[in-house]
Amino acid sequence: MTRSVLRYVTHRITQHPDTDVTYEAECLRCDWKAGPSEDGAAVDLECMRHTGRAGHQSFRRVCASLALVVRAE
């Protein structure tokens, strides 16, 4: 008979310490895009400027980061 030993290890997920969050946005009515930036407020300002110029009010915003999973101790 074969026996197995099960060990459960608790993990946690966190933002990778050597990276930053990147923000992006794109207009839902045309092909306009705000390029990637580490400053979310700057991307929001670009969206507001696009609204002022084109009258478009809907944007898809993305916040991306690199995650790191480590054992919780």
Side-chain angles (χ1 to χ4, degrees):
M1 176 180 215
T2 303
R3 289 185 162 200
S4 296
V5 176
L6 301 177
R7 292 185 178 95
Y8 296 93
V9 179
T10 304
H11 290 81
R12 64 183 172 89
I13 189 166
T14 184
Q15 181 177 326
H16 193 287
D18 297 332
T19 63
D20 292 315
V21 177
T22 303
Y23 301 90
E24 299 179 50
E26 64 182 46
C27 181
L28 296 178
R29 294 198 50 203
C30 69
D31 291 332
W32 179 88
K33 292 182 181 182
S37 174
E38 293 176 4
D39 184 1
V43 172
D44 289 346
L45 283 173
E46 288 187 51
C47 292
M48 289 185 271
R49 287 186 189 113
H50 181 69
T51 297
R53 286 190 301 267
H56 301 163
Q57 299 173 330
S58 299
F59 300 88
R60 180 173 139 316
R61 295 191 302 173
V62 177
C63 301
S65 66
L66 183 62
L68 182 65
V69 176
V70 296
R71 284 187 178 184
E73 297 189 56

